[in-house]
Amino acid sequence: MKILHVTASIDPKKGGVSQAIRTIINGLEKSGIKNSVVCLDKREPVSNDSNLDVTKLGTTDNPWNYSALLIPWLRNHLKDYEVVIVHGLWLFHGFAVNKVIQQHPKNDYIKVFVMPHGMLDPYFQRASGRKLKAMRNTLYWKLIECKVVNNADGLLFTCQEEMKLASETFNNFNPKQKIVVGLGVEEPPQYTDQMRLAFWEKCPEVKGYPFLIFLSRIHEKKGIDLLIHAYSLVFQDSNSNQSIPKLVIAGPGIDTIYGQQIMKQISENAFLKNNIYLPGMLSGDAKWGAFYESEAFVLPSHQENFGIAVVEALACGKPVIISNQVNIWREIKDSKAGIIGNDTKEGTEEMLNVWQNLDKKQCKEMGIDARKCFEENFSLTLTSNNLIEKLSLI
C-alpha cells in the first residue's frame, strides 16, 4: 500500500497541518504502509525532512499557491499510489487533485480523501474581522471547493467536534463519507535534566518559580489578550498563600501587529511586566522542558481544530486549561484532565480561578488523568490503527 499526501507545505514553520502530516506518516510507516508527500515548498531541504519521501515543486508567490508544475506531476505519478490524501482546503493543490482524478482512467481506481484540518470550521465565516475573507470563501466554495469535498471518497476529521462543526458552515455540503480518524501525537521523550536547563536558558526569569505555559503562535485567534486580562484579575490582588504562578507565553509571532499589542498590554502594567515572559518559539529540549516544568498548559483559543500542543501537554502528564472552542475539549472533560471554559474574559477568568483554588492533591490527580487521557484518546499507535481500519488500508 502506498499513500500520496498532497499539501501546500510541509514546512513546520507553516503551522499545525505540517506537523499533523508528519505524525500521520510516522504512525503509518510503523505499520508498513509507504507514504510520499508532494508540496509546493522551496526545493531546499528542511532539517527534519530526512525521514520523508517528499517532492518539493518550488515555492509559489501567489495567494492561491498556484503552481504550473503540480498538475503535470500528478498526471505522471498518481498511477504509483492506491490512496491520495489532500491536506487542507482553499488552495490550488486541492483543485489540482480533483481535476486530475476526474480525468484519470476509470479502470485505475484511486481512493481520494480530503482532510480539512479544521478549515471548515464556521468560526472562519463568522469572526468579525474576517468578513471579506468569508465572502471570498463562500464564492470559492460554490465554484471550486464543494467539488473537491463532494467528489472525494470521504472527508477525514480529527475529532467528533470538528465533524459536527463542518456541517454547519456551507450549503451543498454533501461528502460521500464523513470519517473521524483521530489524530495522534508521538510519545514525548523521557524527562531529562538537560530539558530543564535548556528551558531555563531560554527563560531564566522563571527558574525556581511555578508557572503556567502557553505554547502556540502569537495570534489573535489564540485568545492571548483574554489570558493576560484574566491573569491580571486573578493573581494581581491574590490573597492566596500559594505562590503566584508566572505566565510563560512561548511561540512565534511577537513581531506581528497583534504581537505588539500584546507587548503593549503587558508593558503598561507593572504586575504583568514582572510576571509574564515571552521567550519566543521553543523547540527541542527547551520545549519539552517547558512542558515538564510547568504546572499546567493554558490555551483560551477562539478556534482550535485539534491542538497538538494541548495533546503534548497531556502526554507529559500536565493538566490543560482550555476554552470549549478547542475541538478536543469533550475528550478532555470526560477524562477530568483539565479545566474547560468559554472563550471570553469572564470564561478565562473563571478557569484561572478554578485552577488557583485547587489543592496540591487535586492538581496531582488531574495530571494523572491528563496522561490517561492521552493514552486512551491520542496515542499515535491508537490513532494510526484507527486510520488504517477506517480507510481499509491493509
Side-chain angles (χ1 to χ4, degrees):
M1 173 67 69
K2 292 184 69 176
I3 300 176
L4 176 65
H5 301 263
V6 186
T7 182
S9 175
I10 198 69
D11 187 343
K13 295 179 182 177
K14 298 292 179 67
V17 174
S18 167
Q19 183 58 52
I21 295 170
R22 292 169 184 275
T23 301
I24 290 168
I25 289 175
N26 286 342
L28 292 174
E29 294 275 349
K30 291 175 182 177
S31 295
I33 296 172
K34 301 298 183 183
N35 296 265
S36 300
V37 178
V38 62
C39 64
L40 304 175
D41 288 323
K42 292 180 181 178
R43 293 184 175 89
E44 62 191 35
V46 175
S47 60
N48 52 356
D49 277 348
S50 58
N51 62 336
L52 289 177
D53 175 12
V54 56
T55 299
K56 299 177 180 180
L57 298 180
T59 299
T60 58
D61 57 0
N62 57 85
W64 194 32
N65 275 40
Y66 169 77
S67 169
L69 301 177
L70 181 57
I71 286 178
W73 189 96
L74 290 170
R75 284 173 175 158
N76 288 332
H77 293 88
L78 273 188
K79 63 182 182 297
D80 299 329
Y81 301 92
E82 289 83 24
V83 174
V84 175
I85 301 179
V86 177
H87 293 273
L89 300 174
W90 310 117
L91 296 173
F92 173 69
H93 67 282
F95 168 84
V97 170
N98 183 57
K99 180 179 177 67
V100 173
I101 284 293
Q102 296 307 307
Q103 299 170 345
H104 196 71
K106 300 301 180 185
N107 61 347
D108 183 21
Y109 181 63
I110 300 171
K111 290 183 180 180
V112 177
F113 298 95
V114 174
M115 194 166 191
H117 294 277
M119 296 181 190
L120 286 175
D121 195 301
Y123 165 84
F124 298 110
Q125 293 300 101
R126 299 170 183 171
S128 59
R130 292 182 51 89
K131 290 183 179 179
L132 288 177
K133 290 181 179 179
M135 292 172 61
R136 176 203 64 190
N137 284 356
T138 298
L139 178 61
Y140 190 87
W141 172 262
K142 291 179 179 178
L143 295 176
I144 296 175
E145 205 67 88
C146 70
K147 298 172 186 176
V148 175
V149 168
N150 295 339
N151 287 343
D153 290 282
L155 214 54
L156 309 182
F157 298 100
T158 59
C159 59
Q160 291 286 341
E161 188 74 3
E162 183 195 1
M163 183 174 71
K164 170 181 171 293
L165 292 170
S167 302
E168 302 174 5
T169 310
F170 296 105
N171 295 324
N172 194 25
F173 176 74
N174 298 301
K176 294 175 184 175
Q177 296 182 81
K178 293 184 286 185
I179 309 169
V180 177
V181 295
L183 184 62
V185 168
E186 293 194 65
E187 188 73 30
Q190 290 293 315
Y191 174 80
T192 65
D193 288 340
Q194 178 57 37
M195 293 175 181
R196 181 180 70 251
L197 296 174
F199 171 63
W200 283 350
E201 184 176 341
K202 293 285 187 179
C203 195
E205 298 90 347
V206 301
K207 184 176 181 180
Y209 292 97
F211 66 92
L212 304 176
I213 180 73
F214 167 99
L215 202 155
S216 190
R217 285 183 301 140
I218 309 298
H219 189 280
E220 59 187 343
K221 188 185 81 165
K222 305 292 183 175
I224 303 168
D225 52 318
L226 303 181
L227 175 58
I228 293 172
H229 176 80
Y231 180 82
S232 175
L233 291 177
V234 172
F235 296 111
Q236 185 163 354
D237 298 317
S238 175
N239 294 319
S240 172
N241 291 326
Q242 300 178 28
S243 297
I244 294 173
K246 306 288 186 181
L247 175 60
V248 177
I249 299 174
I254 200 62
D255 55 343
T256 63
I257 293 175
Y258 180 72
Q260 292 304 301
Q261 291 172 352
I262 291 301
M263 289 292 290
K264 185 173 184 291
Q265 185 181 0
I266 295 170
S267 65
E268 291 178 348
N269 180 297
F271 171 78
L272 297 178
K273 194 174 179 179
N274 291 327
N275 288 280
I276 298 180
Y277 305 101
L278 295 94
M281 185 174 178
L282 300 178
S283 60
D285 282 345
K287 183 186 84 168
W288 295 114
F291 278 129
Y292 279 119
E293 290 295 309
S294 68
E295 289 195 324
F297 176 91
V298 58
L299 179 64
S301 187
H302 297 298
Q303 190 279 331
E304 203 74 35
N305 178 54
F306 181 76
I308 289 175
V310 179
V311 178
E312 288 177 333
L314 295 172
C316 293
K318 297 300 174 178
V320 296
I321 303 168
I322 60 170
S323 75
N324 54 15
Q325 301 305 305
V326 178
N327 283 349
I328 57 173
W329 71 269
R330 295 181 192 278
E331 290 87 340
I332 291 167
K333 181 180 180 181
D334 290 346
S335 300
K336 300 179 181 179
I339 299 167
I340 317 296
N342 294 326
D343 63 324
T344 61
K345 288 183 177 179
E346 296 79 11
T348 309
E349 180 185 354
E350 182 179 352
M351 287 191 290
L352 292 186
N353 267 319
V354 171
W355 171 257
Q356 181 67 353
N357 288 322
L358 295 179
D359 59 34
K360 289 185 178 180
K361 181 182 178 183
Q362 290 171 315
C363 292
K364 183 177 180 180
E365 289 174 349
M366 192 175 287
I368 293 171
D369 289 335
R371 174 63 194 183
K372 186 177 179 182
C373 178
F374 166 75
E375 293 172 351
E376 294 180 351
N377 295 278
F378 306 117
S379 76
L380 187 57
T381 299
L382 181 84
T383 56
S384 296
N385 289 342
N386 188 53
L387 178 62
I388 291 167
E389 179 184 347
K390 293 286 181 67
L391 303 191
S392 301
L393 299 181
I394 294 179

